[in-house]
Amino acid sequence: MEKQMFCYQCEQTAGCSGCTGKAGVCGKKARTAGLQDELTGALIGLARTCASNPKTENTDRLILEGLFATVTNVNFDDEAIERLIDKVRAEKEQIAPGCAVCEVKCGNTDEYDMKWIWEAQEDIRSLKSLILFGIRGMAAYAYHAMVLGYVDEEVNTFFYKALSILAEDWGMEELLPVVMETGAVNLKCMELLDRANTETFGNPEPSEVSWKVEKGPFIVVTGHDLYDLKLLLEQTKDLGIQVYTHGEMLPAHAYPMLRKYPHLKGNFGTAWQNQQKEFADIPAPVLYTTNCLMPVKDSYADRVFTTEVVGYPGMVHIGEDKDFTPVIQKALELGGYEKDMEFTGSNGGSTTMTGFGHQAVLGVAGQIIAGVKSGAIRHFFLVGGCDGARPGRSYYTEFVKQAPKDTVILTLACGKYRFNDLDLGTIGGIPRMLDMGQCNDAYSAIKVALALADAFGCGVNELPLSMILSWYEQKAVCILLTLLHLGIKNIRLGPTLPAFLSKGVAEYLIKEYGIAPVTTPEEDLKTILG
C-alpha cells in the first residue's frame, strides 16, 4: 500500500487541517514528506548523540542544512534528501562509532519516529509543532549568517536542545517555556543575520526599484541569500548580462555593496505564488537560492537552476563550488527580450521603494516622534509577512488602501507585493509606506518599535502601533514566537490561523497575548482606531 502523508506546517494546508493522501497543496509528494520526516528523525538522533559526545566541525552546519531543507517549498528532490539523511547518519557514526549497532541498546541516540508527534495528544502535538516549525525557520536565518561567516554558539546550541526535547515525553507546562525560548533565541539569530548582512553589504539605504526589464540577456534571482546574488553579480560583470531580483531578493537593491554593480537592474515579477505564470514565457534563466520554489512547469523547466539546499528533480543544481557558468550560458543562449519591456507591480505601479531598515528609519526618528506628538501621524501599522495563493489575501491590499492618510505603513517580507507599488504619499517628508526588507528584517521592525517605546517612555504595547501579519511558512512561525517572547500583544494574524494550533494552545495564546484572526479591513481598522 502506498504511504500516505501528513503535513500541516504551512498556511495553505488542505482544509485548514492538514495535507494527507498522495501529495500536499504545495506539490510535495507523500514520499518526499516521508523522507523529510525521516530526515527530521535522524536529526533528532544526531542531536541526542551530541548530548554526551563532542560534535565535529561539520555537525552544526549539517543540523542547519537538514532543518532548512524541510522548510516548505525548499526541496522536492527525494535523492537530495536521501543524501542528507545519509550524511546525518554518517555524522552520528563518526561522533559515536558503533552506537547504531550496539548490542546493549540504550535508545538514547536512536532516530525518532515522527509519528509520535503527529499522533500525540493535540495540545502536545501543537506545542511540539511550534518548536519544530520555529527551529526550521530559525535554521534558515542561521544558515544565511553562517554562509557569511557569522555564527553564534548560543543559537547553534539551542537547535540541539530543541531537537532533543521533541523526543521527550513532556507535558504542556514543560513545553510552553521551550516554545517561548524558541522566540527568544530567534531574536538573537535575527540580530546575528542583520549584523552579518550589514557588515558584509553595508547598511540598507532607501532605494527606488523599477519593474522594467531592459532588452538583452538577463538572469532572475529569487530567494533570500544575498551572498549567492553577490557571487552571481561578480561572475556576470562585463558580460552584457543584466540581473533582476524576484520575490524576497528585492531588498538587495538597498545594500550599497550590491547596488554598486551597474548590471543589478531592477525587479522582475511579483510574489512567489505567481511564478508559474510569470516564468512561463520568460527568455531567461531563474536561479533559486532558498525556499519559495513551486513545482516547476514544463514551459520553463529548462531555465530553472537551484543552489544551496534548494532542490527539484531534473533541475541543474549549482554545487558548493558556486560556478554559475551553466546559468550564464543559458542567459546568453536565450538572449532576453528584443526590446525593453515595461512591467508593473500588482496595482499597476512602475516602481517601488525598499531599504527602510532600522538604521534608515531611526535616522529620521526625530521627525517621526515630532509627527506623532503633533498629531500628523496618528498610528503605525506593520502590514507584512508571507504571501500565498489562498483566497482572502486581498485583505492586506484593501487594508493598506483604506488606512487613513495620517497613518504610516511599515512592511516586510513578500506579503508586501500585494501593495508595494501603491503611492501612498508622505507625512512631513516621510513616506507613508516603509519597506523594511526581507522576513528576517522583522528584526528592524522590532528595533524601531523598541526605540520608539523608549523615546516615548512607554511599553511597546502602548505605542500607536498595530501588527497585521500574514503567514505561510516556518520563518513566519519563529518570528511570531519572537514577538510573543517580547510580550507584544493584540497581533492580528491571517488569512487563517495555523492548523497546528490546537484548541487549547490557541485559547492560551488568545488569553495571554490577544492574538486574533483578521476579519475585514473595515472592521479591523474601526476596532484599532476607534
Side-chain angles (χ1 to χ4, degrees):
M1 181 178 177
E2 187 174 356
K3 184 174 180 178
Q4 304 293 293
M5 72 181 292
F6 173 75
C7 182
Y8 67 167
Q9 70 175 6
C10 85
E11 188 269 335
Q12 291 180 180
T13 191
C16 294
S17 59
C19 291
T20 58
K22 297 181 179 180
V25 172
C26 70
K28 179 171 62 178
K29 300 291 191 295
R31 183 169 188 272
T32 308
L35 286 170
Q36 291 184 350
D37 274 358
E38 188 176 341
L39 172 58
T40 304
L43 290 170
I44 291 172
L46 176 59
R48 295 167 78 190
T49 298
C50 292
S52 54
N53 298 279
K55 61 187 180 182
T56 76
E57 61 181 12
N58 298 318
T59 317
D60 286 350
R61 182 185 182 94
L62 194 52
I63 291 284
L64 297 183
E65 188 176 350
L67 286 169
F68 193 177
T70 61
V71 171
T72 303
N73 291 78
V74 170
N75 202 317
F76 296 81
D77 189 341
D78 290 353
E79 292 183 2
I81 298 171
E82 287 173 334
R83 287 194 296 271
L84 257 178
I85 294 170
D86 290 341
K87 287 169 66 175
V88 172
R89 289 171 176 163
E91 182 73 6
K92 189 171 82 168
E93 176 61 23
Q94 182 177 348
I95 291 171
C99 183
V101 293
C102 177
E103 293 183 3
V104 187
K105 297 286 285 183
C106 66
N108 293 336
T109 64
D110 287 353
E111 293 184 10
Y112 188 72
D113 190 336
M114 294 299 290
K115 75 175 184 181
W116 295 115
I117 292 180
W118 310 142
E119 297 177 2
Q121 189 271 340
E122 65 172 10
D123 290 334
I124 302 302
R125 180 178 74 168
S126 184
L127 292 173
K128 287 191 173 184
S129 294
L130 279 167
I131 295 168
L132 175 60
F133 302 158
I135 62 173
R136 283 177 173 175
M138 183 164 58
Y141 298 149
Y143 188 93
H144 293 316
M146 178 190 67
V147 167
L148 294 174
Y150 289 72
V151 296
D152 185 292
E153 190 58 33
E154 180 184 342
V155 172
N156 285 343
T157 297
F158 181 73
F159 287 112
Y160 295 82
K161 174 182 177 179
L163 283 167
S164 298
I165 285 172
L166 292 175
E168 297 291 342
D169 186 22
W170 284 10
M172 286 189 68
E173 290 186 0
E174 296 164 300
L175 290 171
L176 267 171
V178 184
V179 171
M180 292 300 115
E181 186 179 2
T182 304
V185 177
N186 184 61
L187 178 61
K188 193 174 185 66
C189 187
M190 288 196 296
E191 188 278 331
L192 176 71
L193 181 54
D194 177 80
R195 183 159 51 88
N197 284 337
T198 55
E199 292 182 1
T200 303
F201 304 113
N203 289 326
E205 300 170 354
S207 306
E208 186 175 43
V209 184
S210 172
W211 260 281
K212 182 174 79 172
V213 176
E214 298 180 9
K215 67 179 181 179
F218 68 98
I219 296 169
V220 175
V221 185
T222 189
H224 303 71
D225 200 298
L226 299 176
Y227 186 61
D228 280 333
L229 175 61
K230 167 72 161 50
L231 294 176
L232 180 68
L233 288 168
E234 274 292 317
Q235 293 180 37
T236 51
K237 64 183 180 181
D238 303 323
L239 295 180
I241 297 174
Q242 316 295 352
V243 176
Y244 293 85
T245 56
H246 173 268
E248 283 274 64
M249 199 62 82
L250 167 65
H253 293 275
Y255 288 91
M257 293 302 292
L258 298 175
R259 286 174 58 194
K260 73 176 185 178
Y261 293 92
H263 59 301
L264 178 61
K265 288 291 184 178
N267 192 72
F268 176 86
T270 52
W272 67 271
Q273 74 275 4
N274 300 321
Q275 66 189 259
Q276 291 177 328
K277 177 182 178 181
E278 293 178 342
F279 292 167
D281 301 312
I282 182 176
V286 181
L287 174 66
Y288 287 83
T289 66
T290 58
N291 58 311
C292 301
L293 167 67
M294 293 183 72
V296 179
K297 298 290 188 181
D298 291 341
S299 59
Y300 60 94
D302 63 324
R303 289 167 270 147
V304 168
F305 297 82
T306 61
T307 192
E308 292 295 346
V309 298
V310 189
Y312 196 85
M315 302 299 104
V316 176
H317 187 78
I318 307 300
E320 294 181 5
D321 61 356
K322 293 299 180 179
D323 182 356
F324 292 112
T325 299
V327 189
I328 294 169
Q329 290 176 337
K330 180 60 70 172
L332 294 171
E333 172 194 329
L334 293 170
Y337 293 110
E338 295 182 356
K339 62 178 182 179
D340 291 355
M341 300 293 289
E342 300 289 344
F343 294 103
T344 67
S346 299
N347 300 281
S350 60
T351 64
T352 188
M353 292 291 295
T354 190
F356 294 96
H358 58 87
Q359 300 92 346
V361 176
L362 293 178
V364 293
Q367 293 170 252
I368 293 173
I369 293 168
V372 174
K373 289 183 176 179
S374 71
I377 299 175
R378 178 169 36 151
H379 207 86
F380 296 89
F381 294 106
L382 175 59
V383 185
C386 309
D387 205 359
R390 189 187 294 277
R393 287 184 179 266
S394 59
Y395 164 94
Y396 299 94
T397 310
E398 292 305 312
F399 188 98
V400 170
K401 285 182 177 179
Q402 294 179 34
K405 292 184 178 181
D406 57 357
T407 62
V408 173
I409 307 295
L410 308 175
T411 190
L412 48 81
C414 63
K416 62 176 171 270
Y417 278 101
R418 295 271 170 175
F419 48 79
N420 68 340
D421 62 326
L422 293 171
D423 182 3
L424 301 184
T426 62
I427 301 177
I430 298 171
R432 281 193 57 225
M433 187 185 303
L434 303 174
D435 175 12
M436 309 191 84
Q438 296 181 343
C439 56
N440 53 282
D441 290 310
Y443 177 74
S444 276
I446 290 168
K447 287 275 287 185
V448 168
L450 293 176
L452 290 177
D454 184 62
F456 286 110
C458 65
V460 174
N461 291 312
E462 298 172 278
L463 287 172
L465 168 68
S466 299
M467 297 194 178
I468 317 295
L469 306 182
S470 56
W471 80 283
Y472 175 72
E473 42 91 337
Q474 295 75 66
K475 282 177 276 186
V477 176
C478 63
I479 291 171
L480 177 63
L481 295 181
T482 294
L483 296 175
L484 299 183
H485 154 71
L486 291 169
I488 295 175
K489 296 187 176 183
N490 302 318
I491 296 169
R492 282 169 169 76
L493 185 64
T496 64
L497 291 180
F500 49 81
L501 290 184
S502 66
K503 182 179 179 181
V505 172
E507 288 177 349
Y508 170 82
L509 295 178
I510 291 169
K511 178 182 177 182
E512 295 294 322
Y513 298 97
I515 285 183
V518 297
T519 58
T520 66
E522 297 82 1
E523 186 62 32
D524 287 344
L525 282 166
K526 180 180 178 181
T527 301
I528 294 168
L529 298 176

